[in-house]
Amino acid sequence: MNEDLIRKIEAAFTARFGSLDGAKLYFAPGRVNLIGEHIDYSGGYVFPCALTIGSYCIAKPRADRKLRFYSINIPKADVIETSLDDLHPLMEKGMWTAYPKGVIWAMAQAGYACTKGLDVVYGGDVPNGSGLSSSASLEVVTAIMLRDLNGFDEAKLNNIELAKIGNVAENRYLGANTGILDQFASAMGRKDSAILLNCGTMEYEYAPISMRGKRIVVTNSNKPHSLVNSQYNTRRAQSDAARDALKKVIPGMVNLCDIDLKTFYEHADVITDKVIFKRAKHAISENQRTIDSLKALKAGDLNRFGDLINEAGESIRYDYEATCEETDLLVDAARIQPGVLCSRQTGGGWGGCTVSIVDDENIKDFMANVQRIYSARSHYHATFYVVDVGNGPEIIKQY
Ligand code: GLA
């Protein structure tokens, strides 16, 4: 728990909305995806883990239908006042409140309409736009808060349903055609475990992450990415185009990741566009790598696990072309450091973070050396985060 941040959120709540009596404090984590990139929306496997950083909110129900939002991360926006009757999908570009409002809207669409207004203050310690799911953690913390304050049945509206609601908000309220990876990892996180999720069937299993003297190090390029404005939706459309072409000649195929590489190459002549071919090759090979990575981890073969993560890095860079100069530079700088098992860009892409696995005793030098190379050759300064794998969302306290 980030006690310092919690105190700031409490102070902001009292300053703007008065007494904390009757309010509650909630948390939902950000996530890092180890492998399985850009294939959640193609029915593929992903392998993320939840972080111990994320989004917090303090919320207190109101007697009327007014919604008052404040974020200590965006003080410039001040208190934004709106209402339960003022929810307009795709109309709130650039407004941070589109995330919580989108979740309220998506919950109502799922049959869980909120009846009480709210005063809410948010605060988070996941850097925005870093590819560590600051948005999904904001959606999930809002969803658990709404479930709790409205007394919605937790057996029916379980955390997987909350993840789906967050995803609907993102797709239909915000207009970003993202998959379920981020919200699922945030809503279903488990301490010291990664989650292997089949996004086609929603079957999942937890895999204990034991790195034997190594740690996961996330490096933020500080080059922000924006899913709505980036090429994300184009990539998704290209993957869908590959799927549609292949489906015509492969009986029973539903998602792009339903087929293996052999089947893909047997039928690849139906894809005449070279770019679409590369996108499909990434998706189908990435799916196999993700399945293999769990096997390697279970067998205790960390070298194989690292090789697969490096290969995934090449695939997202050259076949999916979802990286950028800055994250490429970080990956190249990381891989030549002593004690580095693997490194690749993680998350939505075109900026954000890389994930590396580094021997404990080399981490200090790793950070210093990568920083030196990065600041010399880019306009940005990197920040590092040695990952602790955390639990899913929680209700922290009632005031
Ligand atoms: C973003 C999206 C996810 C997923 C990743 C790439 O984080 O929100 O749904 O597609 O990019 O793996």
Side-chain angles (χ1 to χ4, degrees):
M1 289 297 102
N2 188 334
E3 296 297 340
D4 188 43
L5 183 59
I6 292 173
R7 268 192 298 277
K8 286 184 184 145
I9 301 171
E10 288 172 345
F13 191 97
T14 322
R16 272 141 198 109
F17 302 136
S19 168
L20 279 165
D21 280 352
K24 280 172 120 175
L25 170 65
Y26 304 86
F27 170 77
R31 65 94 189 93
V32 60
N33 193 26
L34 299 176
I35 188 165
E37 214 67 88
H38 276 278
I39 55 171
D40 55 347
Y41 49 78
S42 291
Y45 281 91
V46 294
F47 200 35
C49 40
L51 303 173
T52 49
I53 54 174
S55 294
Y56 296 81
C57 77
I58 294 179
K60 184 169 167 176
R62 297 175 55 91
D64 56 17
R65 291 175 64 80
K66 228 184 243 179
L67 297 167
R68 293 195 297 173
F69 295 114
Y70 180 75
S71 166
I72 68 163
N73 296 78
I74 314 169
K76 257 201 323 216
D78 212 339
V79 173
I80 295 179
E81 193 171 312
T82 166
S83 98
L84 287 172
D85 306 306
D86 185 24
L87 305 172
H88 305 291
L90 303 178
M91 297 288 285
E92 299 176 37
K93 263 208 168 130
M95 297 286 287
W96 76 266
T97 43
Y99 288 94
K101 287 177 77 179
V103 173
I104 296 173
W105 176 85
M107 270 209 172
Q109 297 290 306
Y112 299 93
C114 302
T115 48
K116 292 176 235 165
L118 292 168
D119 288 338
V120 198
V121 175
Y122 289 90
D125 47 10
V126 178
N128 282 347
S130 61
L132 301 178
S133 291
S134 52
S135 327
S137 67
L138 180 56
E139 289 155 10
V140 172
V141 80
T142 303
I144 65 149
M145 176 267 286
L146 294 173
R147 179 178 68 191
D148 183 50
L149 293 182
N150 288 279
F152 295 141
D153 181 359
E154 203 171 322
K156 279 195 205 130
L157 194 59
N158 58 29
N159 282 16
I160 297 183
E161 293 308 312
L162 294 187
K164 289 183 187 161
I165 282 172
N167 189 231
V168 168
E170 190 120 356
N171 292 169
R172 294 178 47 206
Y173 201 87
L174 285 127
N177 289 331
T178 53
I180 192 73
L181 161 63
D182 307 347
Q183 293 84 6
F184 194 95
S186 177
M188 295 296 289
R190 180 182 287 182
K191 192 168 167 39
D192 297 330
S193 299
I195 315 167
L196 186 84
L197 168 69
N198 178 333
C199 301
T201 61
M202 296 298 281
E203 283 166 322
Y204 64 98
E205 68 175 277
Y206 291 102
I209 287 272
S210 116
M211 293 285 175
R212 291 196 308 268
K214 300 179 195 303
R215 299 289 299 270
I216 301 169
V217 181
V218 164
T219 307
N220 191 349
S221 67
N222 287 310
K223 162 110 191 266
H225 73 172
S226 157
L227 292 183
V228 184
N229 302 324
S230 75
Q231 304 187 63
Y232 187 97
N233 286 357
T234 313
R235 288 297 178 282
R236 181 164 185 163
Q238 289 166 334
S239 290
D240 289 352
R243 175 202 60 202
D244 292 343
L246 289 161
K247 259 168 78 167
K248 289 194 186 122
V249 291
I250 303 175
M253 177 178 165
V254 177
N255 291 310
L256 182 55
C257 290
D258 287 352
I259 57 170
D260 59 14
L261 269 180
K262 184 169 169 283
T263 314
F264 171 60
Y265 285 125
E266 276 164 16
H267 297 93
D269 55 327
V270 295
I271 300 178
T272 46
D273 184 311
K274 272 192 198 139
V275 172
I276 306 277
F277 173 85
K278 286 207 293 185
R279 306 298 187 243
K281 178 169 158 256
H282 162 74
I284 295 161
S285 62
E286 181 78 353
N287 195 40
Q288 190 58 52
R289 280 188 291 273
T290 308
I291 297 168
D292 292 347
S293 73
L294 179 70
K295 281 191 203 143
L297 209 56
K298 279 186 173 165
D301 190 349
L302 277 186
N303 286 333
R304 171 88 179 123
F305 186 63
D307 287 347
L308 289 161
I309 290 186
N310 279 334
E311 283 168 30
E314 302 308 285
S315 186
I316 201 79
R317 180 165 172 176
Y318 298 110
D319 282 340
Y320 217 65
E321 297 175 287
T323 65
C324 65
E325 249 176 71
E326 288 78 7
T327 50
D328 290 348
L329 180 56
L330 284 176
V331 166
D332 293 343
R335 285 188 186 166
I336 55 171
Q337 301 308 317
V340 172
L341 181 68
C342 57
S343 186
R344 68 172 197 88
Q345 180 195 266
T346 182
W350 298 283
C353 289
T354 64
V355 59
S356 312
I357 299 178
V358 187
D359 283 345
D360 247 336
E361 70 259 27
N362 293 105
I363 291 180
K364 222 171 134 226
D365 290 344
F366 170 86
M367 297 199 238
N369 293 342
V370 171
Q371 184 68 272
R372 193 172 29 77
I373 299 174
Y374 187 61
S375 343
R377 301 207 198 137
S378 81
H379 302 296
Y380 298 91
H381 199 72
T383 39
F384 298 87
Y385 174 66
V386 181
V387 167
D388 287 313
V389 178
N391 277 317
E394 57 177 304
I395 303 172
I396 304 174
K397 67 171 154 184
Q398 160 120 42
Y399 294 92

